[in-house]
Amino acid sequence: MWSPCDPSAQGGPTGVDGPYVLLCHDGVWQPIMTVAEYLALRRGEHPRIGALPARPDATSTADTTPPPASPAGPTAADPPPADPTTTTPPTTASTTVPPSTTTTTTTTTTTTTTTPPTTTTSTTVPARVCPVLGPATTTGVIGDTAIPESSGLAVSRRSPGVLYTHNDSGDTARFFAMGTDGRPLGRFALAGASAVDWEDIGIGPGPVAGMSYLYLADIGGNLTPRTSVTVYRVPEPVVDPGVTSIATTTLTDVTRFDLPYPGRITHDAETLLVDPITGDIHLVTKAVSGISEVYRFTPTTTSGTLPLAHVGTIVVPTPGNPLTTGGSVSPDGSRVVIRTYDHLLLWPRTAGSTIATTLTAPPCVYQLATQFQGEAVAFTADGGSLFVSSEGTNSPLLSYPLAS
């Protein structure tokens, strides 16, 4: 849990020690970014994208107002507004009769010319439609005492009413099944796998059509930001929601993807997004600056080392904690969600667009109920609600309904 450190703790209160900038977690100073990244941020820059964009300001807990179609006033690139009716100043035409001995007559004619009204055409950007997030409901309490740190969350596609979760760093390579009420339903170990810092779990398609697969993300790097991470894939097991005892099952059909970051750059990451349409996997990094990088890879049928492609950057909106801790994609692929410790960011996805393109738009922002250390989020099987969980023994499971 992020909290103030004792000034006498290792690393000292300055937060800079050796090659990393430190931030306090569970009373211990931990490296979060390199000094080079820290100094760049102090200059108002980012090591990858240069000058930092301003973090968007989320002023409401449930942003349902579409963004304006264009800036409020003209800019240097905008033409001045046209007056629909322009009147030309009067023109005076004079005809003078040459002087004579009898009469002198001068005739003046005033002519007014009116320009027809100017018709202007503007292109309106389609309004963003933010769903309404209902109030949180506690559906149960995580009952398996072997889960002190629920760090990721996924909803079963094969067994109705079943959720999957796993611990943060410090556990073995395993995940857990539980009911929506938190009842323990089983433990599953991955044969031949390791667990450096598992941070998220997702569910989606795989090599066999019509079968659902679980993806477990060993991508964390709080203690040591990593140059390479790992994602494991296993076919989703069948879980009996009526079991009364906790059994451990070892899964042997395990595929391992080793994923070096481009240029061997170091990152800490906690968010995994599985695209149910394309099968691509996205990783979103975690940064105290609020600038999160987005990487993508396409899983293969067999284990191996695969390239990670950098496909975007997210500027986490203010206010609130900028650290991204988990994510999920709705089963039909129409919504993408990423959570922080205290807020929920949701992107509606238009047909035919990629996840990377979707994440370039401003998200819908919602305030989450206070949790001990909320990190995980997952769409339900019908996409109509969200489950969230938190670290901490016997932590509550919360459900949020989503309405269009």
Side-chain angles (χ1 to χ4, degrees), residues 38 43 175 220 398:
Y38 172 76
R43 295 193 300 269
F175 65 93
L398 303 182

Side-chain angles (χ1 to χ4, degrees), residues 342-403:
D342 50 20
H343 281 78
L344 190 73
L345 314 178
L346 187 147
W347 287 263
R349 181 184 182 187
T350 58
S353 64
T354 65
I355 286 182
T357 300
T358 298
L359 295 178
T360 62
C364 308
V365 182
Y366 309 89
Q367 176 77 50
L368 290 172
T370 301
Q371 296 177 284
F372 173 71
Q373 187 174 324
E375 292 199 359
V377 61
F379 279 99
T380 54
D382 63 2
S385 299
L386 289 164
F387 279 105
V388 299
S389 67
S390 171
E391 294 194 0
T393 303
N394 300 128
S395 63
L397 283 171
L398 303 182
S399 174
Y400 289 88
L402 284 168

Side-chain angles (χ1 to χ4, degrees), residues 176-258:
F176 304 84
M178 59 184 174
T180 55
D181 58 358
R183 290 180 302 110
L185 299 177
R187 301 169 181 171
F188 297 88
L190 274 61
S194 60
V196 177
D197 190 355
W198 285 20
E199 289 292 354
D200 208 358
I201 181 173
I203 190 166
V208 178
M211 180 179 289
S212 55
Y213 292 79
L214 292 173
Y215 294 83
L216 296 117
D218 190 349
I219 58 176
N222 276 341
L223 293 176
T224 305
R226 296 160 68 178
T227 60
S228 182
V229 294
T230 301
V231 171
Y232 296 98
R233 180 182 66 203
V234 294
E236 183 192 354
V238 176
V239 178
D240 180 3
V243 299
T244 57
S245 60
I246 306 175
T248 297
T249 302
T250 298
L251 304 177
T252 58
D253 187 3
V254 180
T255 306
R256 172 176 177 152
F257 304 114
D258 292 310

Side-chain angles (χ1 to χ4, degrees), residues 297-340:
F297 76 96
T298 301
T300 53
T301 56
T302 58
S303 298
T305 299
L306 301 178
L308 275 175
H310 181 260
V311 294
T313 300
I314 300 172
V315 182
V316 179
T318 58
N321 193 308
L323 298 174
T324 53
T325 63
S328 183
V329 183
S330 62
D332 64 357
S334 66
R335 291 170 175 170
V336 181
V337 68
I338 295 174
R339 70 162 297 170
T340 67

